[in-house]
Amino acid sequence: DTAVSQTPKYLVTQMGNDKSIKCEQNLGHDTMYWYKQDSKKFLKIMFSYNNKELIINETVPNRFSPKSPDKAHLNLHINSLELGDSAVYFCASSQGTGGRDEQYFGPGTRLTVT
Amino acid sequence: GQNIDQPTEMTATEGAIVQINCTYQTSGFNGLFWYQQHAGEAPTFLSYNVLDGLEEKGRFSSFLSRSKGYSYLLLKELQMKDSASYLCAVRASTDSWGKLQFGAGTQVVVTP
């Protein structure tokens, strides 16, 4: 039983292309997140949704557009891919947004832009 | 801005103890998390501290001093499978909606 799943696991594409990454959680959580982990292993928050509403929107190029069709899904669409977008993208979810609400991470999507 | 510092790498022998320090400077404080991340895998939750003191969970313990902006993760009776990156993450009180700021992680290498 996978708690937080992402597809695809690997994505290799050329500069200028548009791609999407999908995330689903079966934990019944209210909040979902997108993180980017670069080559230096820094994990940085990009977006967060709570009950389908955008609640965190970090300084991310507007080529990145998240979409939450329902509480269990959070997708990430990236337009006009650039070399610097190469990274591992992690989806995560949590029951709430306070206290000790731990975040559960998906397996990650390794994006390589050539 | 937020600043979270942890050593880049630590090496220890199987069966030994390793202490990973984390110092933070944030706008207020509302909890600190430790996560473990094996190479090529997702981070997994290890511990949470919001009050000063030690939280023990099996072979792993985490300590917090809010006045010093300091935490450590203690790994006892090291096993080869403990070789991983350990991420310190802080929730600042000025950050709403569960936002976590992560450190760069400490790579722990366990040798036989």
Side-chain angles (χ1 to χ4, degrees):
Chain A
D1 263 3
T2 305
V4 183
S5 58
Q6 295 178 228
T7 54
K9 189 163 174 64
Y10 299 96
L11 187 52
V12 181
T13 188
Q14 291 183 323
M15 280 175 57
N17 285 347
D18 304 339
K19 290 293 178 187
S20 291
I21 308 171
K22 296 183 181 233
C23 178
E24 176 180 1
Q25 54 96 3
N26 63 7
L27 297 167
H29 286 169
D30 289 339
T31 310
M32 296 184 73
Y33 311 81
W34 276 114
Y35 284 88
K36 177 180 181 180
Q37 189 170 45
D38 60 23
S39 57
K40 293 183 179 173
K41 305 302 180 189
F42 265 108
L43 200 58
K44 291 189 70 175
I45 183 79
M46 299 173 69
F47 302 103
S48 177
Y49 274 73
N50 180 264
N51 277 316
K52 302 194 296 174
E53 299 292 324
L54 180 66
I55 56 172
I56 295 176
N57 187 354
E58 290 294 283
T59 309
V60 175
N62 57 17
R63 298 182 294 105
F64 290 79
S65 51
K67 194 165 284 186
S68 182
D70 56 59
K71 223 170 65 162
H73 296 85
L74 180 61
N75 303 324
L76 183 65
H77 188 76
I78 316 170
N79 288 327
S80 305
L81 277 155
E82 300 177 357
L83 293 177
D85 297 333
S86 294
V88 181
Y89 292 84
F90 284 101
C91 176
S93 73
S94 63
Q95 179 59 53
T97 58
R100 71 158 334 271
D101 284 315
E102 67 200 71
Q103 295 179 16
Y104 293 77
F105 285 81
T109 296
R110 182 172 293 276
L111 172 65
T112 304
V113 182
T114 61
Chain B
Q2 323 289 14
N3 202 18
I4 300 167
D5 291 315
Q6 38 180 144
T8 304
E9 185 170 315
M10 302 181 76
T11 301
T13 309
E14 202 173 6
I17 298 173
V18 70
Q19 177 175 314
I20 307 167
N21 296 325
C22 171
T23 58
Y24 62 89
Q25 291 176 305
T26 57
S27 302
F29 176 81
N30 199 20
L32 185 144
F33 294 78
W34 283 96
Y35 281 82
Q36 179 192 59
Q37 186 178 23
H38 285 101
E41 296 184 11
T44 54
F45 169 78
L46 287 179
S47 69
Y48 170 74
N49 295 72
V50 67
L51 299 176
D52 290 351
L54 189 68
E55 293 279 342
E56 297 188 82
K57 203 190 257 189
R59 294 187 300 115
F60 292 4
S61 304
S62 57
F63 171 83
L64 175 68
S65 169
R66 288 172 297 171
S67 62
K68 294 181 180 175
Y70 167 71
S71 173
Y72 68 72
L73 180 69
L74 196 69
L75 285 61
K76 293 180 271 192
E77 300 167 23
L78 276 173
Q79 301 175 8
M80 297 300 291
K81 67 177 181 180
D82 297 331
S83 291
S85 182
Y86 292 84
L87 308 174
C88 173
V90 176
R91 178 176 289 139
S93 56
T94 53
D95 285 329
S96 57
W97 298 111
K99 179 178 169 181
L100 291 179
Q101 302 281 348
F102 280 84
T106 298
Q107 185 66 44
V108 170
V109 178
V110 181
T111 59

